[in-house]
Amino acid sequence: MSCASCLKFLMFFFNGIIFLAGAGILAVGIWVKVDSGSIFTFLEKIPDAPSELGQVLNVGYLLIVLGGLLLIIGFLGCCGAMRESKCMLLLFFIIVMLILLAEVSGAIVLLVFRPLVDSLFVKFGHVAVQNIKTDYGKNSDITGLWDTIMSTLKCCGYNNYTDFTNSSYHLEKGYPPMCCQDSGAPCGNSSNSTGVPTVPGCFSRIKALIDDNSVVIIGVALAIAALELGAMVTSMSLFCKIKSA
């Protein structure tokens, strides 16, 4: 196998992965925007939510744009390698380089503005607790959302069971069944005092989930960066090979 053929094979390999990743991200983005039952749609219904939450709710559009961009990149790389087009290969190299620089910049900004992210979670926590006390058991959408989250993550409330304390649901029925370990029924009210729930809060569950999988997350991020670097090196090598031919 000649050097040029080997470079073409590598280009098809790298861009095949990029194309499939783009298709997957695009599908997720479309699902987030179309599925009215997604968590993002529920979050929009929470009253008095922090204004910064609006940026999070745009994640669907971000995923659609990112997925579409990756599809275009994959097409440019494969087509440029197949047709030996220096213009396409150079355009591919520039786009991937810009994406890599944007990812590095985003990581730096995330680290620098970490306190802002923490404050956003604190603000949202206050709103979530208030939402539980006023709407849980009354609003079917909100109740369904919290029941799904708590049953999936095996957690209780945003912080812990005290988020439900003295709420209309708690005063009438007790704590939700998800908060009551192995009971399968509400607990902790005057008529059913089976003990104080010990199930942890959902925020701590999510935080622990991220912390426990931080190595995997970092590994995936490094793998993506390595893939992008490999694609850049291969495209430029093939570009130079075509130029010197």
Side-chain angles (χ1 to χ4, degrees):
M1 183 183 290
S2 65
C3 182
S5 299
C6 182
L7 289 173
K8 285 184 180 181
F9 173 78
L10 288 175
M11 279 296 291
F12 280 115
F13 173 75
F14 286 130
N15 287 283
I17 296 176
I18 291 174
F19 190 88
L20 291 176
I25 294 174
L26 180 63
V28 172
I30 293 174
W31 171 77
V32 168
K33 297 311 299 179
V34 172
D35 183 16
S36 60
S38 69
I39 187 172
F40 300 101
T41 304
F42 280 118
L43 289 175
E44 289 179 327
K45 297 178 181 180
I46 297 179
D48 302 322
S51 58
E52 296 91 338
L53 189 61
Q55 304 303 318
V56 178
L57 297 175
N58 291 326
V59 69
Y61 295 114
L62 177 63
L63 291 175
I64 291 173
V65 172
L66 180 59
L69 184 60
L70 289 177
L71 287 175
I72 294 173
I73 291 173
F75 172 78
L76 280 175
C78 289
C79 193
M82 183 174 62
R83 300 184 59 182
E84 296 188 353
S85 171
K86 293 186 290 184
C87 179
M88 284 186 173
L89 289 172
L90 183 60
L91 183 60
F92 171 83
F93 176 85
I94 292 173
I95 293 176
V96 174
M97 182 181 66
L98 291 176
I99 291 176
L100 183 60
L101 291 175
E103 289 171 348
V104 173
S105 302
I108 294 173
V109 169
L110 192 62
L111 290 174
V112 172
F113 290 96
R114 178 65 184 272
L116 182 62
V117 176
D118 292 338
S119 67
L120 175 60
F121 278 116
V122 171
K123 287 182 181 179
F124 181 72
H126 293 316
V127 175
V129 172
Q130 187 61 33
N131 175 250
I132 288 174
K133 289 186 179 297
T134 57
D135 293 328
Y136 186 85
K138 296 180 178 179
N139 185 309
S140 59
D141 288 337
I142 299 298
T143 304
L145 169 64
W146 279 110
D147 286 346
T148 300
I149 293 175
M150 291 190 295
S151 60
T152 302
L153 297 178
K154 308 299 181 185
C155 57
C156 176
Y158 185 83
N159 298 303
N160 51 45
Y161 75 95
T162 58
D163 296 343
F164 292 93
T165 303
N166 294 327
S167 66
S168 56
Y169 183 90
H170 172 248
L171 293 175
E172 180 181 350
K173 299 180 180 179
Y175 296 106
M178 286 71 70
C179 298
C180 309
Q181 263 183 334
D182 303 324
S183 68
C187 62
N189 64 353
S190 56
S191 61
N192 185 11
S193 54
T194 57
V196 175
T198 57
V199 179
C202 294
F203 177 69
S204 61
R205 281 283 199 195
I206 295 173
K207 188 174 183 299
L209 187 65
I210 294 174
D211 291 340
D212 293 342
N213 294 279
S214 58
V215 175
V216 176
I217 295 172
I218 293 173
V220 170
L222 291 176
I224 292 173
L227 177 66
E228 291 169 342
L229 285 173
M232 289 170 59
V233 171
T234 305
S235 64
M236 187 50 62
S237 299
L238 185 58
F239 176 86
C240 295
K241 190 74 176 177
I242 294 172
K243 186 176 181 181
S244 61

